[in-house]
């Protein structure tokens, strides 16, 4: 409960700094000290949560492998993000995203328990999780994932439950390969398949180009083709991104994206979106995002709609 209250307090603490004269160094200094003390007070709670998750991972791993020991586990990954989003003409949306990955080391070190709702995320790179595709959902997945990283190809498979309004079992498989063009540029090709009784077979083919421009900027071009065997609707997603790393705590992403499909129409552009995301790490384990955006939807006759999102995230890793 204390951790939840701290998360709610952070945005108000941040914006409170700007309600007084910029020259009032005494007031600003007091608030910075208060914020630092508040974050420090949360660290024991976070450590307890992390140790508890690792303890559960150890119990599950030992049960599945029937191999018990006194070894301690420190390999879990926990990412929790709360968001508040306001798009012009729509009500304010409050949401939460969770990504928990628990390694099961005794099972050949290739299996892990995964709990997340990130199917609609384009990528988890570049300290930005705000680029999403409209043809995927954000319902929660609970499953066991197998990973195999080889020299020539990376393979993943996942068996789990989609925790939607009407839960269903799914199986996923993906294969990816990176092709180095130079020391600073590369292509990555990925093929994903997902099968369930409810939606039958989904197929997503991805092609991404990465170019490191210098030590600060990286350019990325993402392209995805999605089709479902049941609905037979072609979906294509394209985006351009510039990632700017200001330092170890501050990141900016500039993203422009286009979604096209032939759902109830000929193949047409359906949505344009552009946004800038600024991420600031207050601690190694806590950050906030500020994200202004503009979008143009065919359903709105491509009338521009402005929006703003605030994310508060907690990231706990070994």
């Amino acid at each position: 409960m204390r951790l939840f209250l701290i998360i709610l307090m952070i945005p108000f603490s941040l914006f409170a700094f700007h309600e007084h004269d910029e020259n009032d160094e005494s007031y600003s200094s007091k608030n910075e000290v208060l914020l630092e003390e508040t974050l420090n007070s949360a660290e024991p709670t976070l450590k307890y949560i992390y140790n508890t998750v690792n303890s559960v991972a150890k119990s599950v791993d030992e049960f599945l492998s029937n191999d018990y020991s006194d070894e301690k586990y420190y390999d879990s990954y926990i990412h929790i993000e709360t968001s508040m989003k306001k798009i012009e003409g729509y009500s304010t949306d409050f949401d939460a995203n969770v990504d928990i990955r628990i390694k099961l080391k005794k099972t050949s070190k290739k299996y892990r328990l995964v709990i997340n709702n990130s199917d609609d995320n384009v990528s988890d790179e570049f300290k930005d999780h705000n680029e999403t595709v409209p043809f995927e959902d954000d319902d929660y997945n609970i499953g066991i994932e197998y990973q195999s990283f080889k020299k020539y190809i990376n393979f993943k498979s996942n068996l789990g439950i989609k925790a939607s309004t009407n839960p269903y079992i799914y199986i996923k498989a993906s294969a990816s390969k990176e092709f180095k063009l130079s020391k600073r540029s590369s292509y990555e090709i990925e093929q994903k398949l997902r099968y369930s009784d409810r939606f039958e077979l989904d197929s997503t083919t991805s092609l991404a180009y990465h170019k490191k421009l210098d030590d600060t900027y990286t350019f990325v071009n993402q392209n995805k083709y999605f089709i479902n065997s049941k609905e037979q609707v072609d979906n294509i997603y394209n985006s351009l991104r510039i990632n700017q790393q200001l330092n170890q705590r501050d990141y900016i992403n500039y993203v422009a994206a286009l979604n096209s499909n032939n759902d109830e129409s000929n193949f047409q552009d359906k949505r344009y979106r552009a946004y800038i995301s600024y991420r600031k790490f207050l601690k190694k384990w806590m950050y906030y995002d500020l994200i202004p955006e503009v979008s143009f939807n065919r359903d709105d006759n491509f009338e521009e709609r402005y929006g703003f999102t605030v994310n508060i995230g907690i990231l706990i890793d070994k």
Side-chain angles (χ1 to χ4, degrees), residues 41-293:
S41 69
E43 290 188 354
T45 304
L46 291 171
K47 184 177 180 180
Y48 172 78
I49 293 173
Y50 189 65
N51 288 337
T52 300
V53 171
N54 281 304
S55 178
V56 172
K58 183 177 186 296
S59 299
V60 172
D61 197 15
E62 290 178 339
F63 174 77
L64 293 176
S65 64
N66 197 28
D67 181 6
Y68 298 87
S69 70
D70 295 329
E71 181 184 4
K72 292 185 178 181
Y73 280 37
Y74 299 101
D75 295 318
S76 297
Y77 171 90
I78 304 172
H79 184 191
I80 302 172
E81 184 180 87
T82 60
S83 68
M84 179 181 69
K85 184 174 186 176
K86 173 62 179 176
I87 299 295
E88 185 180 7
Y90 295 90
S91 59
T92 303
D93 182 40
F94 297 90
D95 201 1
N97 296 303
V98 174
D99 186 3
I100 300 176
R101 308 171 200 170
I102 301 173
K103 286 186 178 180
L104 305 177
K105 298 192 296 183
K106 295 181 182 295
T107 56
S108 302
K109 297 184 179 180
K110 294 182 179 180
Y111 291 90
R112 62 182 182 176
L113 176 64
V114 177
I115 303 172
N116 62 43
N117 62 332
S118 58
D119 279 354
D120 61 340
N121 285 357
V122 172
S123 173
D124 60 0
E125 293 182 280
F126 306 115
K127 306 297 186 292
D128 176 35
H129 303 84
N130 301 287
E131 187 180 359
T132 58
V133 290
F135 44 78
E136 289 279 13
D137 61 60
D138 60 354
D139 294 328
Y140 281 89
N141 305 292
I142 304 172
I144 298 291
E145 184 175 84
Y146 170 84
Q147 304 178 92
S148 178
F149 300 102
K150 302 295 184 181
K151 180 178 180 180
Y152 298 103
I153 194 167
N154 297 325
F155 175 79
K156 291 182 182 181
S157 62
N158 186 303
L159 175 64
I161 297 175
K162 176 71 78 168
S164 59
T165 306
N166 298 309
Y168 60 90
I169 296 174
Y170 66 81
I171 183 169
K172 300 178 183 177
S174 67
S176 62
K177 171 66 177 176
E178 183 181 27
F179 297 90
K180 285 285 188 181
L181 302 177
S182 67
K183 290 183 178 180
R184 290 181 171 266
S185 62
S186 65
Y187 275 104
E188 183 177 7
I189 300 175
E190 182 180 49
Q191 178 63 51
K192 292 182 179 179
L193 298 174
R194 179 180 61 187
Y195 181 83
S196 65
D197 284 341
R198 181 172 301 173
F199 297 105
E200 297 182 0
L201 185 64
D202 293 337
S203 172
T204 303
T205 305
S206 304
L207 175 64
Y209 172 71
H210 294 71
K211 172 70 173 180
K212 191 170 181 61
L213 304 177
D214 54 31
D215 292 338
T216 301
Y217 295 94
T218 301
F219 169 78
V220 183
N221 173 219
Q222 288 274 3
N223 304 276
K224 292 180 178 288
Y225 171 70
F226 173 88
I227 189 168
N228 173 264
S229 61
K230 191 173 183 178
E231 297 182 353
Q232 288 295 317
V233 174
D234 298 295
N235 290 270
I236 292 181
Y237 177 86
N238 313 96
S239 72
L240 301 174
R241 171 191 297 271
I242 295 289
N243 168 258
Q244 180 183 8
Q245 181 176 346
L246 302 176
N247 50 56
Q248 293 299 316
R249 288 195 169 200
D250 299 85
Y251 301 81
I252 302 178
N253 285 275
Y254 311 85
V255 181
L258 163 65
N259 184 68
S260 310
N261 63 47
N262 56 356
D263 187 14
E264 299 180 353
S265 69
N266 296 325
F267 197 84
Q268 296 176 332
D269 297 343
K270 296 296 177 68
R271 186 184 188 224
Y272 298 88
R273 181 187 180 219
Y275 72 86
I276 299 173
S277 71
Y278 168 69
R279 173 165 294 186
K280 172 73 173 182
F281 277 88
L282 302 172
K283 289 281 191 178
K284 181 181 179 181
W285 51 268
M286 174 170 274
Y287 66 85
Y288 68 85
D289 293 336
L290 303 177
I291 310 150
E293 71 169 85

Side-chain angles (χ1 to χ4, degrees), residues 17 24-35:
F17 295 152
D24 191 351
E25 295 182 1
S26 176
Y27 182 86
S28 177
S29 178
K30 287 180 181 179
N31 275 277
E32 289 176 2
V33 171
L34 177 61
L35 178 59

